[in-house]
Amino acid sequence: MATVKKNKKKMIIAICAVLVVAIAGTSGVVVAQKNKGKEATLYTISAGDIYEKVSLTGDVTSGTRKDYKVSSVATVKEVFVKVGDKVKQGDVLATFDVSDLDAQISSLQETYNEAQADYNKAVKEQKSAQNKSKTLQTQISAMEKTVKKLEEKTTVPSTAKPSTRPTSSTTRRTTTTKTTTITTTTTTTTKRVTTTLPPSANPTEDLANQIKELNEKLTQITEDLDTLTKAVKVIADTVSQLAGSFNPDEIADEVLDKLIDSGISADVAKQIVESIDFQALVKSVSETDGAKLSSAQIQLMSLQAQKAVFDAKADPTVVNAQKKALKTSKQALDVLKAQRQSMSEGWVAAFDGTITAVDVTPGVQTTLVSPGITLENLDSMAVTVSLGEYDLHKVKLGMTATVTTAFGKYEGEVVSIAPTATGGDGSSILDNVGSMAGISGLSSLTASGAGVDCVIAIPEVDENITVGFDADVEIVTGEYHDITVVPIESIKLEKTGSYVYLYNPEEKTATKTLIETGAVSDTAYEVKSGINVGDQIIAAPAADYEDDTFKVKVITNKK
């Protein structure tokens, strides 16, 4: 056993010795390589040209296309074409029975007529209200002067206003401060009924409220300005004159007689009298100063309230609403009439072309979702591509493009760029990557990137290009000649900028150098600053360089 242990110990020592030698040898190689430098191929900077392009893939479509779709329900009478037919401009494609549309037009016509009548009525009422408001303003101005003169003449204190009016032999009103006693006599029994009304804290405010309520009730009965003016004057004069001598029922009877005498019809006069709370009105008037002043105040307040009503009716809101309803009904009627006219004449070819779809059948009623008939001009074609956010600012209308299909190349021109983006959330990480790497159109490869539709027209086509297939598109967005260029593979892209490794032939070292780039093609960048024509850089820098400056062992040079 002792011999075995001794042999194992010798073996371990031998292995350790070998490892030490191996490690020492490896270190020597590493040191030697470090001193010798990293092997690299150099590239000499030169002047050149850059053709900046945007490369994309899109769908081939016909140059001109018209979809004939059913815009209303109708029955197909005849269909004169099938898929693949070539037609001339003006050829009839299909006809329809439009009798069902006539009933719809008749209904819409009635709606339009009603809207027209409502609008005319609203305009007439607005003008009438404006005129009445002007008339009332004139009356208000005159009444304000009358009230002012009466207020100057009135000297009786409001807290003690003795009655100077004559009393009836059968009815008498006794007045004390802020308390009104009303007596009435019935025809069957001589009986005195006394009602004590609480005094008002603000007689003027109470009277104003009574006048407001009176005016609202009167305007509900009639809007005729003459009738309103007569009614207010009769009520004001009668109540003011008799408030201290007669009870509310007798005053109401007196008002009724005077309304009829003034020329107001008996039915309207009765409605007016029945709508008024004479007891409250009499109380409010009794607590004001002077019969003539009270009458004038009532008339003034009523005129002001009436003017407010007519001002509201003169507001353009109602007229504008009716005008909008009229416009909407007119548009609906015009659209349906145009549809009827179009369908009664049938669908007619708008240009020379080929029928590429037919989805209507004779004798079958159409639906609003029916595809209808599609006419396309296949003598000219186009390709629709999706421009990413970065490419959009490069591509302009009129730029030339090269369209490549599986069987040929065609010259094209940018003829349309949509105003808004569709198809995504408005950004794509691939756009950012593509911009840094000089590769365009990456956002169109993913559903997450929004794109702007761009149409490239192909004026001259042949049988090798087919509608519906994909095509590659290159749009030349800029040409730059005799500029400092550097291959894409020589540039190291980082968050802080673009770098190359500039070679120092005297020290045989390479240093990480920041450059400013400009135009870019599929193979090269324009360099605006950082290096010059004739400088040498590492052609394809490794990704794992640890130092910004290091020794270089040149393997080859290339230009």
Side-chain angles (χ1 to χ4, degrees):
M1 295 296 295
T3 304
V4 173
K5 289 182 180 180
K6 187 174 181 180
N7 291 338
K8 285 184 177 180
K9 185 175 181 181
K10 289 181 178 180
M11 186 179 297
I12 293 172
I13 292 173
I15 292 173
C16 289
V18 171
L19 289 174
V20 169
V21 173
I23 292 172
T26 302
S27 300
V29 172
V30 171
V31 171
Q33 287 183 349
K34 184 173 183 181
N35 292 333
K36 189 181 293 186
K38 297 181 183 294
E39 294 182 349
T41 298
L42 299 182
Y43 174 84
T44 302
I45 302 300
S46 62
D49 301 330
I50 283 183
Y51 295 89
E52 203 166 34
K53 303 175 184 177
V54 171
S55 300
L56 309 121
T57 299
D59 299 323
V60 178
T61 61
S62 59
T64 308
R65 172 187 174 124
K66 181 174 177 60
D67 292 315
Y68 294 83
K69 293 184 178 296
V70 178
S71 53
S72 57
V73 177
T75 301
V76 181
K77 290 175 67 174
E78 292 184 88
V79 179
F80 300 98
V81 293
K82 62 182 181 299
V83 174
D85 286 351
K86 294 185 180 298
V87 298
K88 296 290 184 180
Q89 181 178 356
D91 288 351
V92 178
L93 310 180
T95 56
F96 302 86
D97 179 2
V98 296
S99 57
D100 292 339
L101 294 177
D102 292 335
Q104 299 179 44
I105 291 174
S106 178
S107 176
L108 277 178
Q109 185 68 56
E110 290 181 7
T111 301
Y112 170 72
N113 293 341
E114 291 175 359
Q116 181 72 65
D118 290 340
Y119 172 70
N120 292 339
K121 180 181 178 181
V123 171
K124 183 178 180 181
E125 289 179 347
Q126 183 190 39
K127 291 181 179 179
S128 176
Q130 290 172 342
N131 293 332
K132 288 179 179 179
S133 179
K134 292 179 181 178
T135 302
L136 285 167
Q137 183 58 55
T138 301
Q139 295 176 356
I140 287 171
S141 299
M143 188 57 63
E144 285 176 339
K145 295 178 180 178
T146 300
V147 169
K148 185 176 181 181
K149 290 179 180 179
L150 290 173
E151 286 177 341
E152 293 173 351
K153 293 179 180 180
T154 301
T155 57
V156 180
S158 61
T159 56
K161 184 178 69 172
S163 175
T164 59
R165 301 182 182 89
T167 59
S168 171
S169 59
T170 58
T171 306
R172 183 177 61 191
R173 170 185 288 271
T174 304
T175 305
T176 59
T177 304
K178 299 301 181 180
T179 303
T180 303
T181 303
I182 299 176
T183 62
T184 59
T185 301
T186 63
T187 57
T188 57
T189 306
T190 305
K191 181 178 180 181
R192 178 171 298 203
V193 179
T194 303
T195 303
T196 301
L197 299 175
S200 173
N202 192 335
T204 302
E205 183 179 345
D206 286 349
L207 181 59
N209 291 333
Q210 291 297 323
I211 297 306
K212 181 180 179 182
E213 183 178 349
L214 170 65
N215 183 75
E216 291 174 351
K217 291 179 178 178
L218 291 178
T219 52
Q220 289 175 2
I221 296 171
T222 177
E223 292 184 359
D224 180 69
L225 188 57
D226 292 337
T227 301
L228 286 172
T229 304
K230 288 179 182 179
V232 170
K233 190 173 188 312
V234 167
I235 295 168
D237 290 343
T238 304
V239 172
S240 298
Q241 292 170 5
L242 304 181
S245 305
F246 295 87
N247 66 33
D249 290 337
E250 292 172 326
I251 294 174
D253 291 339
E254 186 72 14
V255 169
L256 178 62
D257 292 338
K258 290 184 178 181
L259 288 175
I260 295 174
D261 292 341
S262 70
I264 298 175
S265 68
D267 290 339
V268 174
K270 185 177 179 181
Q271 291 181 57
I272 291 173
V273 171
E274 290 177 348
S275 68
I276 301 172
D277 183 355
F278 279 97
Q279 183 173 350
L281 184 59
V282 168
K283 173 183 178 293
S284 299
V285 171
S286 298
E287 294 176 350
T288 59
D289 297 328
K292 291 184 178 180
L293 178 58
S294 299
S295 176
Q297 288 174 329
I298 292 174
Q299 292 183 60
L300 176 59
M301 292 178 184
S302 183
L303 289 171
Q304 290 171 336
Q306 289 176 53
K307 184 176 183 300
V309 171
F310 288 115
D311 284 345
K313 291 183 178 181
D315 185 85
T317 302
V318 175
V319 172
N320 290 341
Q322 293 296 342
K323 185 177 182 179
K324 185 176 181 180
L326 177 63
K327 183 179 179 181
T328 300
S329 61
K330 180 69 164 57
Q331 289 176 338
L333 180 61
D334 289 345
V335 168
L336 196 58
K337 283 183 176 179
Q339 292 173 358
R340 184 196 182 285
Q341 179 68 22
S342 173
M343 298 186 76
S344 64
E345 295 173 354
W347 286 344
V348 179
F351 49 84
D352 295 352
T354 303
I355 301 300
T356 58
V358 176
D359 192 43
V360 287
T361 305
V364 177
Q365 193 175 57
T366 62
T367 66
L368 297 180
V369 296
S370 299
I373 294 176
T374 299
L375 171 64
E376 297 185 73
N377 179 6
L378 302 181
D379 292 335
S380 64
M381 295 189 186
V383 179
T384 301
V385 296
S386 180
L387 298 177
E389 183 177 358
Y390 289 91
D391 294 339
L392 175 63
H393 300 288
K394 301 176 184 177
V395 178
K396 307 297 179 184
L397 293 176
M399 286 184 170
T400 59
T402 300
V403 178
T404 304
T405 68
F407 298 100
K409 289 187 177 183
Y410 306 87
E411 294 300 315
E413 179 183 344
V414 177
V415 295
S416 173
I417 300 175
T420 57
T422 57
D425 58 9
S427 63
S428 172
I429 190 172
L430 291 183
D431 264 340
N432 300 330
V433 173
S435 177
M436 295 176 65
I439 303 174
S440 302
L442 290 183
S443 66
S444 63
L445 302 179
T446 173
S448 65
V452 172
D453 284 348
C454 173
V455 178
I456 294 89
I458 310 172
E460 297 183 7
V461 298
D462 55 30
E463 67 279 1
N464 291 324
I465 183 169
T466 305
V467 171
F469 285 163
D470 292 341
D472 294 327
V473 176
E474 281 190 350
I475 304 172
V476 178
T477 59
E479 295 184 14
Y480 306 87
H481 301 286
D482 197 25
I483 57 176
T484 302
V485 296
V486 62
I488 285 179
E489 63 270 17
S490 298
I491 295 178
K492 189 172 184 180
L493 300 175
E494 296 182 0
K495 291 182 179 179
T496 55
S498 301
Y499 297 88
V500 296
Y501 285 88
L502 180 62
Y503 179 68
N504 186 328
E506 295 179 358
E507 298 182 3
K508 299 187 184 309
T509 59
T511 300
K512 184 178 180 181
T513 303
L514 178 67
I515 61 172
E516 180 187 358
T517 61
V520 60
S521 68
D522 292 342
T523 59
Y525 272 96
E526 174 190 9
V527 179
K528 293 185 174 182
S529 64
I531 55 176
N532 301 305
V533 173
D535 288 342
Q536 291 182 304
I537 61 174
I538 294 179
D544 59 351
Y545 290 157
E546 296 179 357
D547 299 323
D548 290 344
T549 300
F550 49 85
K551 288 287 186 178
V552 173
K553 179 183 179 182
V554 178
I555 300 176
T556 57
N557 282 280
K558 68 177 182 177
K559 295 183 179 180

